[in-house]
Amino acid sequence: MAALLTLAACAPTAPAATRTGSNGGNGGGGTATGQPAAGGDGGGADCAKASKVTIGSDGSISPAKLSLKKGAFIFVTNRSDAVHELVASPDAGLVTSVLGKKEKQVIQFPETGRFAVSAGGAEMHVTVSGDSGCGTPEPTLTIKDGYAFSPSELEVAATANFTVVNKSGSAHGILCDPDPGGNGDNTRLEKGETQILALDKPGTYRCHSVQHPDAKVAITVTSR
């Protein structure tokens, strides 16, 4: 199951914040071309960029240090053959992010402070200060127990980030018609996972769970 070149046709563009120091995966948010694109709001704030972070084939995280503003995004690529959950210590307010093999995801930092972000045995030190002015993506689409989407119909603006939360008891791959990425991939959400997604082309997308085809949602994308 492929990563980010699907339901999330765009999210923030990399790179953005100051740094110091695909296909083939599961789930994620990105563009049909493999480059994340614009999303989010915040007035005059630049909320359309993200800092690139890579989990290498050896499980290491690069860069080792990163400086961001509150509300900023990172664009994480997992180049390893292992599944990694990103965990921040202390709690940075991150959504639950599980990156499958070769997966890419967009993740937002909503809290300020100094954080050690780990993935397996590797660690990256992130300093979040100031305020980017970028708000939390909305609205939220939820996969509930009983394997149903709530709401069953959703309207979002083109390129606007929104969150999808899997509150069911199992993983879900999500397929849409028409295919947002044009590549036949699907977005996969593990049990309890949240992902930041977006769509860049106006229209109506009828999506369903691969594991539970009766779980359906119609997403209408309007012009921005």
Side-chain angles (χ1 to χ4, degrees):
M1 296 186 180
L4 152 126
L5 313 183
T6 60
L7 179 62
C10 49
T13 343
T18 303
R19 263 179 266 171
T20 57
S22 66
N23 291 335
N26 298 324
T31 69
T33 60
Q35 286 293 325
D41 36 41
D46 187 357
C47 301
K49 293 184 179 181
S51 296
K52 290 183 178 180
V53 173
T54 302
I55 300 174
S57 57
D58 59 354
S60 62
I61 303 179
S62 178
K65 294 182 179 180
L66 192 62
S67 295
L68 303 171
K69 290 186 177 181
K70 178 181 177 181
F73 298 85
I74 61 173
F75 178 52
V76 186
T77 301
N78 180 12
R79 300 190 185 281
S80 76
D81 289 323
V83 176
H84 292 278
E85 179 178 0
L86 291 184
V87 178
S89 179
D91 184 5
L94 304 183
V95 297
T96 303
S97 299
V98 181
L99 285 93
K101 301 175 183 179
K102 311 302 181 183
E103 182 180 354
K104 300 175 183 178
Q105 281 194 34
V106 173
I107 299 168
Q108 186 179 34
F109 277 77
E111 303 292 341
T112 58
R114 295 178 181 272
F115 307 99
V117 180
S118 62
E123 195 170 80
M124 173 179 65
H125 293 273
V126 180
T127 300
V128 183
S129 59
D131 196 335
S132 68
C134 301
T136 302
E138 59 180 0
T140 296
L141 180 64
T142 302
I143 306 174
K144 305 187 300 182
D145 283 335
Y147 309 120
F149 286 96
S150 179
S152 59
E153 296 183 357
L154 184 68
E155 183 175 301
V156 296
T159 77
N161 294 329
F162 62 98
T163 58
V164 180
V165 184
N166 182 7
K167 292 186 177 180
S168 74
S170 64
H172 289 268
I174 302 174
L175 284 177
C176 295
D177 182 24
D179 177 6
N183 49 22
D185 294 339
N186 70 75
T187 291
R188 179 181 172 91
L189 284 94
E190 302 297 332
K191 175 182 175 181
E193 184 176 7
T194 298
Q195 288 191 25
I196 298 172
L197 305 180
L199 292 152
D200 62 353
K201 295 182 179 179
T204 298
Y205 298 84
R206 301 192 182 280
C207 309
H208 68 274
S209 165
V210 175
Q211 291 78 8
H212 300 275
D214 289 338
K216 301 176 181 179
V217 59
I219 303 176
T220 299
V221 181
T222 61
S223 299
R224 193 146 174 90

